[in-house]
Amino acid sequence: MKRNLVPLLLILAASLACQGLAQVLPPYVAAILMLAGINAVLAVSLNVVTGLSGQFSLGHAGFMAIGAYVSAAVTTPQVDALRLAGLCSSPAEAQALFALSLLLAALAAGAAGTLVGLPSLRLKGDYLAIVTLGFGEIIRIVILNINCVGGARGLSGVPGYSSAFAVALVLFASVWLIHRFVGSSQGRALLAIREDEIAASGLGISATRYKVGAFVASSALAGVAGGLFAHYLCYLNPSSFGFMKSVEIVIMVVLGGMGSISGSALAALLLTLLPEALRPLQQWTGLDLRMVLYSLMLIALMLLRPQGLFGTREVWQWLPGRKRGEDGRG
Amino acid sequence: MRYKFPSSRGSSPGAALGTGMQTFVQHLIDGIALGSIYALIALGYTLVYGILRLINFAHGDIFMVGAFIGLFAAQALHAGADPTPLKFGLVMLAAMGGCALLGFLVERLAYRPLQQAPRINLLITAVGVSLLLENLGQVVFGPNPKFFPDLLPHTVLFSFGGAAVSNHQAVVLGTSLVLMVGLEWLVLKTRLGLAMRALSHSHETASLMGIPTGLVIAFTFCVGSALAAAAGILVGVSYPRVDPLMGILPGIKAFVAAVLGGIGNIRGAVVGGLILGLSEEMVSGYFSSTYRDALAFGILIAILLLKPEGLFGRNEVEKV
């Protein structure tokens, strides 16, 4: 416990610092940075499946959608699934309800992840990618047909509870948790499956169990990110959780390096800020070339540096006072 | 992903007038026409998968480019104002040739350098090529849907019991049939086809037998892309609208068709396309069209979980 106390306090302090920073920065910059943080949570969560267990999922946006809609259904006065939103009078109560809604989002997305993961993780590679894509789309189409959360019209009036503190806390806490998990025996088992599934099963590791576990954890975290996203944007529409969103998250993980937790978080920051930075280019050429550059970059990355920016290494491995390979993976 | 085929050019009298049997027969005809388009696209997936073990995510977008090349060719030939069968043939040839070239370029520039890389990198590159074509398409062609000129004026060829077969549907069926038989001949009866089949068993052995593997792979991409282009023109003929994102959903559905029939299996792709087209038509005809797209994914998931090798595929056991 003592070993974990210092990092926990550090996380808390860093999140508070982020909240302070958000108040100092211009609102536009702060809003973009918050979106970048939410995307970073998504990328980190997908990295558990793609980077650590070596499976490939193209339906991550579906779990994000479940989290977003569940948490919004709890806090939005028009829907108010728990009949609690109307009772909150003080900001503290509202924040407590927000925390509860994020928890429910994680549970719901995790449950969906179990349902999807149990059957589909028997498949490998391309087939798994296609099945997860299919499930992601089915989730979106089902939400499109649920009337009480707006269906195709979308759900407006979601209260804007997401703060820089909440986003930073979730991001830092998940990065730290996953980092700690990687060093554990379960984490090593997962890495063994990534490297060679048959050899890992030969050593008595239940590949399916670990893969499904990783998938469920990843979905739950994506659900939390979805909840943050819902209370950041204050409006939800099923079309924001389509195939393109899933691909976007995959690109973040690949750019950062599959298996590098900090790498995928940094890549998410970079890729959220890049389109904003490229806005002058759009004004200059009169064409929206951002997505073209985006896709060209993805192809170029695969051709020139397929392991991503960081490979499987972490940012903190370059910190002074750390030996290479201390995490057992250098 | 929101793209749906808009309602077909010309109304189907059976759907408007009749009930019961007539409607059913009309849905059957429409479903076979739709299914043969899916089958043409599915053939490209199956060919490439059979040889490279790669799901070519960009295939649906090559289909889109084919439709656009057809659109421009038709405009250059003024085929909309003065449609003749010869112009239809020329448009078809232009699209197939253009897409064969595009397929060749995609293989050479994006996939060839990654032949030794892990499969996941190849898959991500395919997604990247797909995104590139979609976004480049939006920049070059403009994001708004374009009207596809009427290459063949709509007529009803014959009708029986209230169900009608239009000349569009006949052309769709005829063209697909010719192309499928041609492909079957190419793969089973020619030396090139023999090389393709050898490659699908083992690249190494094939190259030891003196087969120029790179050339055969490039050729396979050209053939698959040309078939997708043909499907693009047929869609343009039957449904009057083309736009840069039109390839996504048909592409994924055609992939489902290929998996359904057993990916890597040519006859399987045709049967899978027909099953998918028919079942989609039936679902949107008798139940709800909102769930039409979910059906394809539902079929996909059911097949992959229950019989992953597909209807006609071989079950391969992974060996250490």
Side-chain angles (χ1 to χ4, degrees):
Chain A
M1 195 60 221
K2 222 176 208 170
R3 204 180 149 194
N4 295 341
L5 197 63
V6 177
L8 278 176
L9 285 176
L10 269 177
I11 287 170
L12 210 59
S15 310
L16 282 171
C18 285
Q19 177 68 26
L21 194 66
Q23 248 120 45
V24 178
L25 288 170
Y28 170 71
V29 178
I32 297 292
L33 282 176
M34 258 173 79
L35 184 62
I38 295 171
N39 281 335
V41 177
L42 280 169
V44 166
S45 72
L46 182 63
N47 205 354
V48 176
V49 171
T50 307
L52 301 186
S53 70
Q55 309 302 310
F56 194 62
S57 166
L58 274 179
H60 217 54
F63 302 111
M64 180 195 176
I66 290 181
Y69 271 92
V70 165
S71 75
V74 171
T75 57
T76 310
Q78 295 97 295
V79 187
D80 199 4
L82 291 186
R83 309 260 170 270
L84 284 176
L87 302 175
C88 294
S89 46
S90 69
E93 279 171 11
Q95 283 299 317
L97 181 67
F98 179 46
L100 176 71
S101 80
L102 288 184
L103 191 68
L104 289 175
L107 284 177
T114 321
L115 281 181
V116 173
L118 264 181
S120 47
L121 283 167
R122 300 187 330 195
L123 303 164
K124 287 195 188 78
D126 324 356
Y127 281 106
L128 180 65
I130 283 288
V131 162
T132 48
L133 191 167
F135 272 117
E137 280 301 297
I138 286 179
I139 290 174
R140 190 179 63 80
I141 293 169
V142 166
I143 292 177
L144 205 58
N145 286 289
I146 300 177
N147 240 327
C148 68
V149 289
R153 276 172 288 123
L155 179 63
S156 53
V158 183
Y161 289 148
S162 285
S163 59
F165 173 73
V167 173
L169 189 67
V170 171
L171 175 60
F172 295 146
S174 48
V175 168
W176 180 69
L177 271 177
I178 294 168
H179 169 64
R180 297 283 286 135
F181 172 74
V182 168
S184 71
S185 60
Q186 282 90 351
R188 281 155 198 259
L190 210 55
L191 295 185
I193 293 169
R194 177 186 74 187
E195 297 303 329
D196 190 335
E197 193 173 326
I198 294 173
S201 337
L203 289 172
I205 296 169
S206 163
T208 314
R209 214 182 104 204
Y210 279 101
K211 284 195 289 187
V212 173
F215 198 81
V216 171
S218 157
S219 319
L221 191 54
V224 175
L228 288 171
F229 180 75
H231 294 89
Y232 159 81
L233 209 59
C234 305
Y235 171 73
L236 288 179
N237 192 304
S239 62
S240 2
F241 305 104
F243 175 54
M244 279 306 300
K245 184 72 191 172
S246 300
V247 169
E248 216 175 278
I249 308 171
V250 170
I251 294 177
M252 289 167 185
V253 172
V254 172
L255 176 67
M258 285 178 270
S260 171
I261 310 153
S262 47
S264 48
L266 284 177
L269 287 179
L270 186 69
L271 285 181
T272 319
L273 301 182
L274 194 65
E276 300 303 322
L278 286 177
R279 267 188 206 283
L281 178 78
Q282 187 188 354
Q283 280 161 0
W284 181 54
T285 55
L287 294 169
D288 195 359
L289 291 174
R290 290 180 296 168
M291 281 308 290
V292 176
L293 288 178
Y294 216 79
S295 39
L296 269 180
M297 208 181 65
L298 180 67
I299 300 171
L301 184 75
M302 276 297 111
L303 295 181
L304 303 175
R305 196 173 165 81
Q307 73 273 38
L309 294 179
F310 291 89
T312 58
R313 271 174 290 185
E314 298 291 353
V315 174
W316 46 80
Q317 283 172 314
W318 280 291
L319 288 180
R322 281 254 178 181
K323 287 194 295 283
R324 259 183 78 110
E326 191 177 342
D327 299 309
R329 36 203 308 251
Chain B
M1 299 298 286
R2 273 165 297 154
Y3 183 86
K4 291 191 178 65
F5 283 137
S7 61
S8 153
R9 212 195 282 269
S11 60
S12 331
L17 294 173
T19 48
M21 198 59 202
Q22 291 168 357
T23 325
F24 178 75
V25 173
Q26 188 65 52
H27 283 315
L28 209 63
I29 296 167
D30 293 348
I32 290 174
L34 180 64
S36 52
I37 291 177
Y38 284 145
L40 274 183
I41 312 177
L43 282 171
Y45 276 111
T46 268
L47 279 176
V48 168
Y49 191 90
I51 288 190
L52 276 192
R53 297 282 178 271
L54 160 75
I55 297 176
N56 185 10
F57 271 102
H59 194 63
D61 303 295
I62 289 177
F63 152 85
M64 174 274 292
V65 174
F68 268 96
I69 295 178
L71 172 70
F72 294 135
Q75 279 171 352
L77 292 167
H78 304 290
D82 172 31
T84 58
L86 174 70
K87 283 182 181 172
F88 172 75
L90 284 177
V91 166
M92 186 67 104
L93 278 182
M96 288 175 75
C99 280
L101 185 65
L102 178 66
F104 175 79
L105 286 177
V106 166
E107 195 272 333
R108 187 48 63 96
L109 297 178
Y111 300 150
R112 174 76 51 96
L114 284 171
Q115 255 176 24
Q116 308 303 324
R119 289 258 298 284
I120 196 162
N121 290 2
L122 209 54
L123 197 64
I124 293 168
T125 312
V127 173
V129 173
S130 159
L131 285 177
L132 181 66
L133 288 177
E134 281 156 24
N135 291 303
L136 215 54
Q138 281 180 323
V139 170
V140 175
F141 306 139
N144 298 322
K146 303 262 185 306
F147 180 77
F148 196 89
D150 208 351
L151 291 178
L152 303 159
H154 183 269
T155 50
V156 174
L157 279 188
F158 56 89
S159 57
F160 48 95
V165 179
S166 71
N167 61 335
H168 290 162
Q169 287 166 331
V171 165
V172 167
L173 265 178
T175 315
S176 329
L177 214 61
V178 167
L179 289 173
M180 287 169 200
V181 171
L183 183 69
E184 187 87 11
W185 172 79
L186 172 76
V187 171
L188 292 182
K189 300 280 181 216
T190 62
R191 276 176 71 83
L192 202 54
L194 187 65
M196 285 162 77
R197 280 180 285 148
L199 228 66
S200 78
H201 281 283
S202 160
H203 282 218
E204 263 179 34
T205 319
S207 80
L208 285 175
M209 297 298 149
I211 294 171
T213 50
L215 216 61
V216 176
I217 291 173
F219 177 75
T220 310
F221 266 86
C222 291
V223 172
S225 306
L227 290 176
I233 300 295
L234 294 180
V235 164
V237 166
S238 325
Y239 310 91
R241 216 180 72 146
V242 291
D243 74 82
L245 298 182
M246 68 185 278
I248 304 176
L249 209 49
I252 292 174
K253 286 181 183 170
F255 173 75
V256 174
V259 174
L260 179 59
I263 193 154
N265 184 314
I266 291 176
R267 286 181 192 172
V270 175
V271 174
L274 286 176
I275 293 179
L276 189 66
L278 278 171
S279 47
E280 270 200 351
E281 190 64 37
M282 293 300 165
V283 163
S284 55
Y286 288 103
F287 298 100
S288 138
S289 56
T290 32
Y291 280 105
R292 195 179 86 161
D293 299 335
L295 172 83
F297 294 114
I299 290 181
L300 172 73
I301 289 165
I303 277 286
L304 285 183
L305 299 182
L306 301 175
K307 196 166 163 47
E309 70 273 17
L311 295 177
F312 299 96
R314 284 172 317 232
N315 196 2
E316 286 172 27
V317 179
E318 191 186 359
K319 298 189 192 95
V320 181

